[in-house]
Amino acid sequence: MPDDGFTYISKTRLEFQDGLRHAYLGDVPEPVPYGVQGALREYYGVGEGPPIAATLDHIVAAVGG
């Protein structure tokens, strides 16, 4: 593969707050919360709370882009 001189390094960090993961993604100032919803909530035995997109939801959306 030819070297096109471009390298991208994703700079992210995770913080755990109130039982949720909050991802800080690059230069985006607001964190992205990750949680569970639907069948994932039942599978993982997560109690009541608002439905929040899971990591898997974001991956599927990105690939479908």
Side-chain angles (χ1 to χ4, degrees), residues 9-63:
I9 298 173
S10 179
K11 296 180 180 181
T12 63
R13 78 177 198 279
L14 285 176
E15 291 183 3
F16 293 89
Q17 302 169 2
D18 303 320
L20 297 176
R21 291 169 292 151
H22 294 261
Y24 289 85
L25 308 173
D27 295 329
V28 178
E30 294 297 317
V32 176
Y34 289 103
V36 292
Q37 63 175 329
L40 288 174
R41 180 178 294 280
E42 183 178 327
Y43 179 80
Y44 287 112
V46 175
E48 294 292 319
I52 300 174
T55 308
L56 182 58
D57 295 316
H58 286 266
I59 292 169
V60 170
V63 171

